[in-house]
């Protein structure tokens, strides 16, 4: 089998065709490394979430701010999960999609983006409320999304859409026990 020489123009045309096909098939290339972080002045990473952010207090979400936004980000989403439930299932306390790219901080209790029903069945933040006397971990995950709008209307569908369209993820974990 003889190999033919390929000109620069031919190679460029081949590469453009490959990239076009990958985009049409929604295949993602490896993600770049970045320093995407979410923080809060309400509690430290790994620290105790204050009572005011629970149903035993004001039941409003803490403040958040983020830095190191990945390239190609067009919007954000936040999901707050408790993986420490007695039945072993993840319980979701807060779901927000379509947070504009211009937003890099959320004040305590401020509503941004579109909220989706959480595990309580509410379309709002519902703070830590462990059903047992054990310490629970609450993971606030911020997703950088490569589209301005996510279309999912349920938590399950949103998780699938986020996994397909995220360009970055940052996590802040806090704890709470009665």
């Amino acid at each position: 089998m003889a190999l033919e020489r390929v000109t620069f123009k031919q190679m460029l045309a081949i590469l453009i065709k490959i990239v076009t096909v990958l985009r049409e098939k929604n295949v993602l290339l490896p993600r770049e490394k970045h320093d995407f972080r979410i923080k809060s002045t309400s509690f430290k990473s790994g620290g105790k979430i204050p009572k005011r952010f629970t149903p035993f207090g004001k039941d409003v979400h803490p403040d958040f701010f983020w830095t190191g936004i990945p390239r190609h980000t067009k919007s954000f989403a936040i999901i707050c999960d408790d993986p420490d439930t007695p039945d072993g299932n993840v319980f979701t306390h807060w779901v927000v999609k379509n947070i504009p790219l211009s937003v890099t901080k959320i004040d305590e209790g401020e509503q941004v983006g579109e909220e989706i029903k959480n595990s309580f069945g509410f379309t709002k933040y519902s703070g830590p409320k462990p059903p047992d006397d054990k310490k629970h971990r609450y993971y606030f995950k911020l997703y950088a999304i490569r589209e301005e709008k996510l279309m999912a209307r349920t938590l399950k569908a949103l998780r699938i859409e986020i996994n397909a369209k995220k360009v970055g993820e940052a996590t802040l974990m806090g704890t709470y026990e009665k």
Side-chain angles (χ1 to χ4, degrees):
M1 180 174 166
L3 295 176
E4 290 184 29
R5 291 184 72 107
V6 178
T7 67
F8 176 77
K9 283 185 178 181
Q10 290 171 321
M11 182 58 78
L12 186 59
I14 292 167
L15 289 172
I16 290 170
K17 180 67 175 174
I18 290 170
V19 169
T20 302
V21 169
L22 289 174
R23 282 188 179 158
E24 288 172 353
K25 302 244 183 240
N26 204 20
V27 175
L28 297 177
L29 299 174
R31 293 188 174 98
E32 64 188 57
K33 294 194 184 241
H34 49 77
D35 197 24
F36 188 39
R37 295 177 192 255
I38 181 173
K39 295 182 180 181
S40 177
T41 62
S42 303
F43 66 95
K44 293 183 182 194
S45 181
K48 185 175 180 182
I49 298 171
K51 186 177 179 179
R52 73 177 179 271
F53 304 113
T54 75
F56 310 108
K58 291 182 174 181
D59 205 19
V60 295
H61 67 75
D63 69 278
F64 298 101
F65 63 95
W66 47 92
T67 58
I69 298 168
R71 196 168 41 153
H72 306 298
T73 300
K74 293 187 179 174
S75 68
F76 302 99
I78 296 175
I79 298 178
C80 175
D81 287 325
D82 171 6
D84 299 321
T85 61
D87 64 7
N89 293 317
V90 172
F91 197 88
T92 303
H93 289 258
W94 193 33
V95 187
V96 186
K97 67 176 186 173
N98 301 337
I99 300 169
L101 178 60
S102 60
V103 174
T104 57
K105 73 178 188 78
I106 302 173
D107 292 328
E108 182 178 309
E110 180 183 13
Q111 186 176 349
V112 297
E114 298 173 44
E115 294 177 312
I116 291 180
K117 281 186 183 178
N118 60 24
S119 295
F120 288 106
F122 302 135
T123 52
K124 67 178 190 78
Y125 171 83
S126 301
K129 186 180 179 182
D132 51 25
D133 291 330
K134 295 181 180 174
K135 183 189 289 187
H136 285 232
R137 296 168 295 158
Y138 297 86
Y139 290 90
F140 293 87
K141 290 189 179 181
L142 174 68
Y143 300 95
I145 307 297
R146 63 180 162 92
E147 306 222 350
E148 286 182 25
K149 298 281 183 189
L150 295 175
M151 304 310 291
R153 296 180 179 264
T154 66
L155 175 58
K156 183 177 180 181
L158 184 64
R159 287 187 195 277
I160 292 168
E161 192 173 12
I162 284 172
N163 281 330
K165 297 177 179 179
K166 70 180 177 180
V167 293
E169 180 179 325
T171 303
L172 176 65
M173 189 274 290
T175 63
Y176 190 80
E177 64 183 309
K178 289 187 204 176

